[in-house]
Amino acid sequence: MDVQVANHCSITSAAKASIAQNAAECGIANTAKKKSRSRRGRRGKRRRGKKANEPPPFLPPEAEEGNIEYKLKLVNPTQYRFEHLATQLKWRLQEGRGEAVYQIGVEDNGLLVGLTEEDMKASLKTLRRMAEKVGADITLLREREVDCDRARRKIAEVLVRKVPDDQQFLDLRVAVLGNVDSGKSTLLGVLTQGELDNGRGRARLNLFRHLHEIQTGRTSSISFEILGFNSKGEVVNYSDSRTAEEICESSSKMITFIDLAGHYKYLKTTIFGLTSYCPDFAMLVVGANTGIAGTTREHLGLAMALKVPIFIVVSKVDLCGKSTVEKTVRQLERVLKQPGCNKVPMVVSNPDDAVTAAQQFAQSSSVTPIFTLSSVSGENLDLLKVFFNILPPLSNSKEQEELMQQLTEFQVDEIYSVPDVGTVVGGTLYSGVCREGDRLVVGPTDDGRFLRLKVCSIHRNRSGCRVLRAGQAATLALGNFDRSLLRKGMVMVSPKMNPTICWQFEAAIVLLFHAKTFRRGFQVTVHVGNVRQTATVECLLGKVWIFKLPDINQVPSPGSSQFLNQVFTKELDLLSSVEHNVLRSVTKNKVLYCHLWFHEEP
């Protein structure tokens, strides 16, 4: 028994000694491992620091549709292969409505392989030949280096652009928003006139339409300005004494700016510009010296409620220091990241950022580029021009063709009387195709009728045009048609449409905040596209409110997006809508946004 205990004790003590020795050895090993890990971590950080500016090893896989094409290399193709490549380029140009982007040195699965210097030159030469065959030009956007088998190789991103055969250039509409005195009109004057501002607003004088706008320096009406880019990506504007017609003839791509009012008392005009002219994008201008002030939040909320992709320009950086500009940018980033916005801000600081921002901005509605520039010194102004040059259209060729196949519908926004021409109406063609000599019907009149008329001529961007396609804005000359029979909000449609009118509609709304009770007999102002009309609450059926319009008849489209604005006060909240449901408050804009259904009154 004693021997067994002694043996057990000796074994236990030996085991403890062995465990202690092993623990000591493990401690030394663990210390060595930690040191080796820390060295590897420092080396990895150094490597990551070196590669921070390099592109990711993969791009998204190539899509069969769209205007982006991946090519590993285009070196000395056979004649049959060259014809196939030219046909493929023509398809990509058609998908991009005259624009295509080629990634050279990239496989179809998105792997960045890269090419040597000789192969890259040969591939670009072949791509230039392909572009010449289809009547296009190429512009090298950027070249980047990639590591492949310890050899430095390059990938290239090339923009291919052509003038369509029917001379219908690509046109993008950009609404310009922002608080009063933020520099909206001055920025547009610098972009379209080609001359920097003198610091006292000289560049904006050509944009004003009324004397009181020149005297006060504040925009109170909606004005349009154009900025063109030719097939090589060069800016085409009013410099060198060009006329609007010359700009249209020389441009393959046109940016039409819709300059809206910034003062709060002109908020209805701003809402009308956003709902009526259907902009593709919105540019929110914020003064670096003032930050988010005045109607900036309201305009941001309006664009978000109407689901217009928005990017931000911080102007007047020459008036304040770098710290003030950074403070304004941080303030914008905080607002964009809030739950009501859920945006991803992206500060653009170099040409490479501008190219990336333009591509990601069109692909994802959550990305919001931020530019910091000056209209006086011209700082970072070229980055904004690069962004506009590369910015692709939101709709592809298939969606455009579907709209063009529908019956003609033109909404009347402006009415003029031109000497020796007659009555002229301005507006946007929402669907179909309109040609010179087409016979349409316009209405509804006060008694609910539609009157026949003939389109005598068409002007688009201040130059003559024979054909107007869906989504384009233009003015139509109606000859001797009586102007007194027309008013804003009317529609010109094909006689085959058999248009109907309504006095009453149903709307599902959510009221977040209101000073008084929203009940029967309550009056609101309805913004329906280019229609702004008072409506009265008739009754409530479940969760659907019945609204009744006054005696003036309107023809809103079923399922169209509306704004409801209170008549006697402006204390309502702005809501965003998806399909038929209002989701959440975006900002305290004092306006209600909802989705409506219409029915005819018996």
Side-chain angles (χ1 to χ4, degrees), residues 291-587:
I292 300 178
T295 57
T296 303
R297 293 178 183 271
E298 279 77 3
H299 289 184
L300 176 63
L302 286 172
M304 291 183 58
L306 292 172
K307 300 178 184 177
V308 180
I310 189 168
F311 61 96
I312 299 176
V313 172
V314 179
S315 62
K316 301 184 180 182
V317 298
D318 57 293
L319 294 181
C320 44
K322 184 177 179 180
S323 60
T324 306
V325 176
E326 293 176 351
K327 180 180 177 181
T328 302
V329 172
R330 288 196 301 269
Q331 186 183 14
L332 288 168
E333 290 176 342
R334 285 196 300 269
V335 172
L336 293 173
K337 291 178 181 179
Q338 287 179 355
C341 295
N342 291 326
K343 298 289 185 179
V344 180
M346 179 181 180
V347 180
V348 178
S349 57
N350 55 60
D352 189 69
D353 290 344
V355 174
T356 305
Q359 295 174 350
Q360 295 185 359
F361 181 57
Q363 296 172 0
S364 174
S365 59
S366 61
V367 176
T368 305
I370 301 177
F371 298 84
T372 56
L373 52 83
S374 170
S375 299
V376 176
S377 64
E379 180 183 350
N380 292 336
L381 202 61
D382 290 338
L383 300 182
L384 187 60
K385 294 178 182 178
V386 170
F387 178 80
F388 283 133
N389 180 37
I390 305 171
L391 190 62
L394 293 178
S395 60
N396 54 32
S397 58
K398 184 181 298 183
E399 295 174 351
Q400 185 71 11
E401 290 176 0
E402 291 177 356
L403 279 176
M404 290 169 56
Q405 291 174 0
Q406 299 177 10
L407 294 176
T408 303
E409 180 183 349
F410 182 89
Q411 294 207 4
V412 178
D413 299 330
E414 302 287 345
I415 305 170
Y416 313 96
S417 292
V418 180
D420 301 328
V421 177
T423 302
V424 176
V425 295
T428 305
L429 186 67
Y430 277 68
S431 62
V433 177
C434 184
R435 298 180 176 86
E436 289 184 359
D438 283 358
R439 297 188 178 275
L440 307 174
V441 293
V442 62
T445 60
D446 293 340
D447 54 359
R449 294 184 300 114
F450 282 79
L451 307 176
R452 295 183 177 272
L453 53 79
K454 179 182 177 181
V455 178
C456 300
S457 62
I458 304 173
H459 268 64
R460 180 175 170 230
N461 286 327
R462 303 172 189 175
S463 60
C465 175
R466 292 186 177 275
V467 181
L468 187 65
R469 290 171 171 78
Q472 297 177 349
T475 55
L476 310 181
L478 307 181
N480 296 325
F481 192 86
D482 188 2
R483 177 183 175 177
S484 62
L485 299 176
L486 299 174
R487 69 170 184 274
K488 291 183 181 180
M490 281 187 168
V491 291
M492 296 168 53
V493 298
S494 171
K496 299 179 182 178
M497 187 177 288
N498 295 324
T500 56
I501 59 176
C502 73
W503 286 268
Q504 192 167 298
F505 62 86
E506 301 174 359
I509 69 171
V510 173
L511 185 63
L512 293 187
F513 171 79
H514 194 273
K516 297 186 178 181
T517 306
F518 196 75
R519 61 185 184 277
R520 181 179 179 181
F522 191 81
Q523 289 188 340
V524 295
T525 300
V526 187
H527 296 266
V528 190
N530 61 344
V531 177
R532 186 171 62 199
Q533 185 61 59
T534 303
T536 305
V537 178
E538 288 291 303
C539 62
L540 172 63
L541 298 177
K543 295 183 179 180
V544 177
W545 290 84
I546 307 297
F547 292 85
K548 186 176 179 60
L549 296 171
D551 295 336
I552 300 178
N553 306 316
Q554 308 290 352
V555 190
S557 301
S560 60
S561 300
Q562 329 291 326
F563 278 101
L564 299 182
N565 192 19
Q566 191 176 357
V567 173
F568 56 85
T569 182
K570 295 179 180 178
E571 296 299 327
L572 294 179
D573 281 349
L574 175 69
L575 308 179
S576 65
S577 170
V578 176
E579 294 182 352
H580 301 302
N581 299 318
V582 181
L583 292 184
R584 59 178 178 268
S585 174
V586 179
T587 182

Side-chain angles (χ1 to χ4, degrees), residues 99-118:
E99 289 185 350
V101 176
Y102 268 63
Q103 301 278 1
I104 308 297
V106 182
E107 292 186 353
D108 290 344
N109 60 0
L111 178 63
L112 304 182
V113 178
L115 297 177
T116 61
E117 191 72 27
E118 294 180 359

